[in-house]
Amino acid sequence: MALGFYSMKNLTESTSKSAYLYIIKLLTKKDYSEHKLRVKLGSKGYEEADIDLAIEEVISKGFLREKEYATARAKVLMKKGYHPQYIEAKLAEEQLSVTSSTINEIFEEYNMTTDSQLSELLEKKLRIQVPSQLINAQDKIKQKLIRYCLTKGHELEDITNTLEGLLEKSNS
């Protein structure tokens, strides 16, 4: 098969350059992990070798800052009320290695604990409900609140204790 004007070497260089330029375009909008970039480029049809070359170049130039990305991602998940263990698992899905001590440092930096997270989550959801109705309400509403907090990775015992505490506080 004749490639005409382009040699095979130029074609490979142009596709890896194209992949590199696409990565730069993505990174100008927001940070990404290496894994997410690989997935994104793969879905665009780039060859694995071109992806490797492009990512290698981005890393060598210091444009890919995975540690900062992982820290920022952990902060976002923390602010959304996710439990530290859930955050660690979520980051592992993105092939980011973040230790639990790093996550704990982030929590300390923002004076956040799992108890304060649970209180915020439940208070936010309780604003929709009138607390006096909650006490007399069927367990459906309480179960809904518990399920919500469970999806954030919190422990059932912690959730029920915090919920009961908030209900008692609202009665007094």
Side-chain angles (χ1 to χ4, degrees):
M1 171 188 223
L3 292 174
F5 179 72
Y6 296 103
S7 69
M8 187 57 94
K9 183 180 178 191
N10 287 339
L11 188 61
T12 303
E13 286 175 4
S14 70
T15 54
S16 65
K17 184 170 178 106
S18 170
Y20 170 78
L21 292 173
Y22 183 64
I23 290 174
I24 296 299
K25 178 183 173 186
L26 291 172
L27 290 175
T28 59
K29 295 177 185 171
K30 69 176 191 172
D31 284 331
Y32 284 87
S33 65
E34 180 179 339
H35 173 71
K36 276 194 167 186
L37 285 174
R38 287 184 181 283
V39 169
K40 217 149 182 51
L41 267 72
S43 70
K44 286 286 186 182
Y46 288 101
E47 297 291 325
E48 194 65 37
D50 296 328
I51 294 171
D52 290 341
L53 287 172
I55 287 179
E56 190 177 299
E57 188 171 351
V58 168
I59 290 171
S60 71
K61 291 184 178 180
F63 297 149
L64 189 64
R65 303 176 325 230
E66 277 203 355
K67 185 174 179 167
E68 290 83 359
Y69 171 76
T71 303
R73 194 80 178 99
K75 286 178 187 175
V76 165
L77 293 170
M78 175 199 67
K79 288 179 179 181
K80 288 184 177 182
Y82 288 101
H83 192 275
Q85 290 174 340
Y86 184 93
I87 294 171
E88 193 173 346
K90 194 72 170 163
L91 294 176
E93 285 177 10
E94 293 184 36
Q95 297 181 359
L96 295 168
S97 60
V98 177
T99 63
S100 55
S101 62
T102 303
I103 294 171
N104 290 336
E105 287 173 12
I106 293 168
F107 270 69
E108 288 174 16
E109 180 183 339
Y110 287 89
N111 295 325
M112 183 74 71
T113 64
T114 54
D115 291 339
S116 63
Q117 273 187 321
L118 273 173
S119 292
E120 284 180 25
L121 287 172
L122 290 169
E123 285 173 2
K124 182 179 176 183
K125 289 294 182 183
L126 284 171
R127 284 184 214 139
I128 300 167
Q129 305 292 327
V130 179
S132 61
Q133 289 177 338
L134 258 179
I135 295 164
N136 300 326
Q138 300 170 347
D139 284 334
K140 279 186 175 183
I141 296 171
K142 290 179 186 176
Q143 292 302 318
K144 200 174 201 180
L145 291 168
I146 290 170
R147 279 193 307 274
Y148 174 71
C149 292
L150 285 171
T151 64
K152 301 283 186 176
H154 293 278
E155 299 290 326
L156 179 61
E157 185 178 341
D158 296 338
I159 299 166
T160 53
N161 290 340
T162 305
L163 181 57
E164 293 305 319
L166 287 173
L167 292 175
E168 286 175 18
K169 191 167 81 172
S170 67
N171 282 340
S172 12

